[in-house]
Amino acid sequence: MKVVLKNLTKRFPNRNKKIHEDVIAVNDFSFEIPDGQLIGLLGPSGCGKSTTLNMISGLEKPTSGRIFFGDDDVTEVPAENRGVGLVFQNYALYPHLTVRNNILFPLQNLKGENRLSKEVMNQKAEEAAKMVQISEYMDRKPSELSGGQQQRVAIARALVKMPRILLLDEPLSNLDARLRLQTREELRRIQRETGITTVFVTHDQEEAMSISDMIVVMKDGILQQIGKPQEVYDHPVNLFVAKFLGTPAINVFAGSVRDGKLYMGDDAVMDVPGVADRDVHVGIRPEAFIPDENGPFKARLSRIEVMGRDTSVLSEHPAFEGRTIRSIIDSDDEVKTKDGYVLFSLKPNKVHIFDKETELVIEREAQ
Ligand code: ADP
Ligand code: MG
């Protein structure tokens, strides 16, 4: 099922009574989710992810804008008639019901002609449980399960009605690191198997990047960029997106363009033909640095951390806008130092420049 959001806006009265201005949680948000894809809705806490999801599910009514499932305008359709499956961060299972009865619950609530026979309901519950691999726990209560198992029950409960759309709001945030990894792979598998169009909300860029067909990056209720994870990582449209994606984070420096050269301090570090003179932010990915005795980029070495496969070189530079520059180099490469400095050349496609004021990316000619 394709989902189309058209100019969605949601205003709330401010929770802080002293502020009379509305909060614009979602601001003129438009995008189209192709049928059968898994979309990662990504952004910092408070940027409007849950509000967007809640408007898709029908739990919140948009202030303006329309929502379509396929060709149907569902903007006015109540949540229970939209055919969406929901999973939240805090599992929200019924504690007094067994796993089986938690999964059966949405089916038992079907009314009239949609009502299923007992056998069919049980069969569907078994299938959903099997899909998330909790069949052996059907007679337990939620309190007798681990967090990861509880979240699987919640997913089974969302899947049992074979929803047209699956909406997941930070579903892995309460799990420990190992389970989070495992469950996200599981989610991906289930999504592939069922082909259900899925929106996965998270503030964790790595999580979104790893399982999504496309990511949608939001900030302050406003859509920043949509694309395949790698595309967005390689071609961020603005400084915010560049900083939000990637661990370790991109290194940002104050720089300027003069006569087709990019300067950081007094050092020309790269040719940027065709770019007009101006002040810029220079974003350099950690993997952009190549140790090079004759390299144009010179930084004072702080520390070298060896981490098996890679080596992390920590350094300082007067134009750096953060604290410590992090560069990741192959552990086979030797870090050459001279009088306490390291020298690097830079991979041009891993360096992004942004206008100092607008923070929008400055396109350059390919080199
Ligand atoms: P996210 O899920 O990305 O953390 P939310 O969608 O929950 O963000 O919230 C977006 C903004 O809207 C926040 O500033 C939040 O405080 C505000 N907000 C959300 N729900 C309400 C509400 N019911 N009343 C007032 N403000 C709200
Ligand atoms: Mg939220």
Side-chain angles (χ1 to χ4, degrees):
M1 176 71 55
K2 178 177 83 173
V3 178
V4 181
L5 309 183
K6 271 202 180 140
N7 309 106
L8 272 195
T9 296
K10 180 68 185 181
R11 293 169 168 270
F12 289 111
N14 205 302
R15 281 179 177 142
N16 181 346
K17 295 276 187 294
K18 290 190 188 121
I19 303 175
H20 295 292
E21 238 169 82
D22 284 353
V23 174
I24 307 181
V26 177
N27 195 344
D28 197 19
F29 194 90
S30 297
F31 84 106
E32 186 172 320
I33 307 169
D35 181 35
Q37 290 218 336
L38 193 161
I39 301 298
L41 186 52
L42 177 65
S45 176
C47 74
K49 303 181 296 296
S50 295
T51 305
T52 304
L53 208 71
N54 292 343
M55 288 193 285
I56 301 175
S57 70
L59 295 177
E60 292 279 7
K61 205 172 143 29
T63 309
S64 60
R66 313 298 308 172
I67 302 164
F68 298 84
F69 289 0
D71 295 326
D72 298 338
D73 185 337
V74 298
T75 318
E76 308 296 332
V77 175
E80 60 271 24
N81 298 337
R82 289 196 189 183
V84 297
L86 282 168
V87 179
F88 299 102
Q89 176 175 348
N90 58 351
Y91 331 124
L93 300 174
Y94 303 106
H96 57 287
L97 297 181
T98 60
V99 167
R100 183 187 311 278
N101 285 326
N102 265 284
I103 300 173
L104 279 170
F105 195 83
L107 299 179
Q108 287 164 338
N109 268 342
L110 293 174
K111 300 266 154 38
E113 60 182 46
N114 292 326
R115 186 129 190 111
L116 304 170
S117 72
K118 235 188 171 136
E119 292 85 79
V120 175
M121 280 198 250
N122 272 319
Q123 191 193 339
K124 284 187 180 276
E126 294 284 350
E127 280 169 13
K130 196 166 162 214
M131 200 171 321
V132 300
Q133 300 172 347
I134 45 158
S135 303
E136 54 198 295
Y137 308 119
M138 289 297 256
D139 297 314
R140 290 203 194 172
K141 294 275 176 62
S143 60
E144 295 164 332
L145 301 177
S146 72
Q149 290 163 340
Q150 290 185 48
Q151 192 56 302
R152 287 179 203 208
V153 177
I155 295 165
R157 188 178 56 182
L159 287 173
V160 75
K161 274 205 290 186
M162 269 300 150
R164 302 198 286 173
I165 295 152
L166 185 60
L167 303 174
L168 308 157
D169 195 347
E170 312 241 7
L172 311 180
S173 299
N174 282 0
L175 307 181
D176 66 48
R178 202 173 54 88
L179 256 179
R180 206 154 56 214
L181 263 179
Q182 198 183 330
T183 314
R184 87 180 184 206
E185 278 156 27
E186 201 106 299
L187 262 177
R188 184 56 175 157
R189 175 184 60 79
I190 294 166
Q191 196 274 331
R192 284 246 167 88
E193 275 177 25
T194 57
I196 299 175
T197 309
T198 301
V199 184
F200 179 96
V201 161
T202 177
H203 63 272
D204 180 333
Q205 56 90 25
E206 196 190 322
E207 202 166 274
M209 301 265 288
S210 65
I211 65 165
S212 308
D213 293 308
M214 286 212 293
I215 56 171
V216 176
V217 186
M218 279 182 92
K219 179 196 172 200
D220 298 338
I222 298 174
L223 188 150
Q224 307 289 305
Q225 191 167 2
I226 303 179
K228 292 195 178 129
Q230 193 67 42
E231 278 170 16
V232 179
Y233 182 82
D234 288 339
H235 304 285
V237 296
N238 61 31
L239 185 59
F240 172 81
V241 174
K243 281 168 139 177
F244 202 73
L245 299 186
T247 31
I250 197 165
N251 300 289
V252 184
F253 301 79
S256 60
V257 174
R258 297 200 301 267
D259 299 328
K261 287 191 190 308
L262 177 63
Y263 285 85
M264 277 154 47
D266 294 327
D267 302 332
V269 293
M270 211 170 76
D271 287 338
V272 286
V275 177
D277 289 5
R278 64 175 116 187
D279 289 338
V280 294
H281 299 280
V282 186
I284 309 183
R285 292 279 179 208
E287 63 274 26
F289 298 85
I290 307 164
D292 178 355
E293 290 167 272
N294 303 312
F297 180 86
K298 182 178 169 193
R300 180 175 282 284
L301 179 70
S302 313
R303 196 163 79 237
I304 295 177
E305 291 174 358
V306 181
M307 302 179 297
R309 190 162 39 97
D310 311 312
T311 302
S312 205
V313 181
L314 283 64
S315 62
E316 287 169 33
H317 187 284
F320 190 57
E321 293 180 3
R323 269 231 215 105
T324 309
I325 305 162
R326 256 183 198 274
S327 32
I328 307 279
I329 64 167
D330 196 295
S331 55
D332 291 340
D333 287 349
E334 200 186 331
V335 185
K336 299 218 169 69
T337 59
K338 205 164 132 192
D339 307 329
Y341 285 88
V342 271
L343 291 162
F344 295 106
S345 53
L346 302 172
K347 294 181 189 167
N349 63 333
K350 295 284 180 188
V351 178
H352 306 283
I353 55 177
F354 305 92
D355 185 85
K356 182 158 191 276
E357 301 306 323
T358 66
E359 300 190 352
L360 294 175
V361 76
I362 298 167
E363 300 292 346
R364 339 194 286 269
E365 293 163 23
Q367 294 174 30

